Amino acid sequence: MSDTARTGPVPRRRGLTRRQKRRVSRAVQYVVFVAAVIAFAVSADWARLKNQFAQADIAKEMFPDVITLALKNTVLYTVTGFAVGLALGMVIALMRLSSVGPYRWLAGIYIEIFRGLPALLIFIFIGVAIPLAFPGTEIVGGTYGKVALALGLVAAAYMAETIRAGIQAVPKGQMEAARSLGFSPARAMVSIIIPQAFRIILPPLTNELVLLFKDSSLVLFLGVTLGERELSKYGRDLASTTANSTPILVAGLCYLLVTIPLGFVVRRMEAKAQEAVK
């Protein structure tokens, strides 16, 4: 009898388990990330970066105008554009859900066009094409009205699809229950369906607000006055005047003062929505 037969089969060596492989992979990723950060920190010329982007005296000269003028205008442009986009998006969403064929077709064409065109082209169209097509026509609110219309047209295409999805996410039994209580379809939609839909779509709508806040930088293509400048235009003008990029960095930090808290709000709302589903 052979030795193998007497002692039995030789046990095979087991490799790493799936959990151990994940740990090794994660550790390698951390090492690579830390090495990349160290390499960047060592190789970067921090003195030149500080000289070009972090001049304290230039940054101090920007205050308080960067807040009271540039940031204020940016917020105003964003809020008015969001309001126009929300109102128009609601109409388009209802047209999209309509049983009337032409309404659905018009809404679909609008959504495809304005989702496909860059926002820059919309701003140029509002600032150049409309005055050429309708001489002597003035948009109400001047530059503020033009920005609100341009941002609203862009946002409405996205908001319409978001609102439509929210309305369709409301259980059909809600409409049936409202009709059984004597509500007309229109009244049931306004009083019962839409409020529930907005609770569902509030996080993506807030995310759209963040995107509009950044898109407001396109206002510079409308030719604004000194008092109508937003953060990007204000920072670029001062950067050209001072031959230094510190104003652009300060303007970027002002954007973060708004977008980071809004992003936190979006994440909190999404977490609460997921808890409510569970």
Side-chain angles (χ1 to χ4, degrees), residues 88-108:
L88 184 58
M90 175 63 71
V91 174
I92 295 172
L94 294 176
M95 291 175 62
R96 187 78 162 163
L97 294 171
S98 174
S99 59
V100 181
Y103 287 168
R104 295 197 307 272
W105 303 334
L106 288 174

Side-chain angles (χ1 to χ4, degrees), residues 65-88:
D65 288 348
V66 69
I67 301 296
T68 59
L69 175 66
L71 182 58
K72 181 201 72 174
N73 283 336
T74 302
V75 172
L76 184 59
Y77 293 147
T78 303
V79 171
T80 54
F82 184 83
V84 172
L86 184 61
L88 184 58

Side-chain angles (χ1 to χ4, degrees), residues 46-68:
W46 294 103
R48 294 184 63 183
L49 286 174
K50 180 181 179 181
N51 183 62
Q52 185 64 26
F53 288 96
Q55 290 295 320
D57 54 340
I58 296 177
K60 289 179 181 178
E61 292 177 0
M62 297 178 65
F63 291 89
D65 288 348
V66 69
I67 301 296
T68 59

Side-chain angles (χ1 to χ4, degrees), residues 29-45:
Q29 293 175 26
Y30 288 154
V31 171
V32 171
F33 175 75
V34 172
V37 171
I38 294 175
F40 173 78
V42 171
S43 61
D45 191 338

Side-chain angles (χ1 to χ4, degrees), residues 154-168:
V154 174
Y158 295 93
M159 290 186 184
E161 288 293 88
T162 301
I163 294 171
R164 179 184 64 82
I167 291 174
Q168 291 180 327

Side-chain angles (χ1 to χ4, degrees), residues 90 94 166-200:
M90 175 63 71
L94 294 176
I167 291 174
Q168 291 180 327
V170 177
K172 293 182 179 180
Q174 296 292 318
M175 175 63 77
E176 297 172 356
R179 293 300 305 278
S180 67
L181 294 175
F183 284 71
S184 66
R187 185 184 174 191
M189 179 64 70
V190 173
S191 302
I192 306 298
I193 305 301
I194 291 178
Q196 294 185 61
F198 266 86
R199 284 196 291 270
I200 297 172

Side-chain angles (χ1 to χ4, degrees), residues 10-277:
V10 178
R12 295 180 180 180
R13 293 185 178 180
R14 298 183 59 186
L16 295 176
T17 65
R18 189 172 299 177
R19 178 179 298 181
Q20 290 173 332
K21 290 180 179 178
R22 285 199 299 265
R23 289 177 179 176
V24 171
S25 175
R26 191 177 299 115
V28 171
Q29 293 175 26
Y30 288 154
V31 171
V32 171
F33 175 75
V34 172
V37 171
I38 294 175
F40 173 78
V42 171
S43 61
D45 191 338
W46 294 103
R48 294 184 63 183
L49 286 174
K50 180 181 179 181
N51 183 62
Q52 185 64 26
F53 288 96
Q55 290 295 320
D57 54 340
I58 296 177
K60 289 179 181 178
E61 292 177 0
M62 297 178 65
F63 291 89
D65 288 348
V66 69
I67 301 296
T68 59
L69 175 66
L71 182 58
K72 181 201 72 174
N73 283 336
T74 302
V75 172
L76 184 59
Y77 293 147
T78 303
V79 171
T80 54
F82 184 83
V84 172
L86 184 61
L88 184 58
M90 175 63 71
V91 174
I92 295 172
L94 294 176
M95 291 175 62
R96 187 78 162 163
L97 294 171
S98 174
S99 59
V100 181
Y103 287 168
R104 295 197 307 272
W105 303 334
L106 288 174
I109 291 172
Y110 177 92
I111 290 171
E112 293 302 324
I113 290 176
F114 283 90
R115 283 200 308 180
L117 289 175
L120 172 60
L121 295 184
I122 306 301
F123 273 81
I124 294 175
F125 176 81
I126 296 297
V128 178
I130 289 182
L132 289 176
F134 305 98
T137 301
E138 290 291 336
I139 296 178
V140 178
T143 300
Y144 294 96
K146 293 178 182 178
V147 177
L149 180 59
L151 288 177
L153 288 174
V154 174
Y158 295 93
M159 290 186 184
E161 288 293 88
T162 301
I163 294 171
R164 179 184 64 82
I167 291 174
Q168 291 180 327
V170 177
K172 293 182 179 180
Q174 296 292 318
M175 175 63 77
E176 297 172 356
R179 293 300 305 278
S180 67
L181 294 175
F183 284 71
S184 66
R187 185 184 174 191
M189 179 64 70
V190 173
S191 302
I192 306 298
I193 305 301
I194 291 178
Q196 294 185 61
F198 266 86
R199 284 196 291 270
I200 297 172
I201 64 175
L202 197 55
L205 285 183
T206 307
N207 194 49
E208 183 64 30
L209 181 63
V210 175
L211 296 177
L212 283 182
F213 185 75
K214 294 184 291 184
D215 284 344
S216 65
S217 61
L218 297 174
V219 69
L220 63 92
F221 291 97
L222 296 178
V224 296
T225 64
L226 293 177
E228 296 169 341
R229 292 178 297 175
E230 43 69 55
L231 282 171
S232 293
K233 176 65 173 173
Y234 183 83
R236 288 184 61 183
D237 287 350
L238 284 184
S240 299
T241 303
T242 60
N244 191 275
S245 300
T246 299
I248 295 178
L249 177 62
V250 174
L253 294 176
C254 289
Y255 275 106
L256 295 179
L257 286 177
V258 177
T259 57
I260 289 178
L262 281 177
F264 176 77
V265 170
V266 171
R267 289 191 296 272
R268 290 292 300 170
M269 288 190 296
E270 289 176 345
K272 288 185 179 181
Q274 292 177 355
E275 291 177 359
V277 172

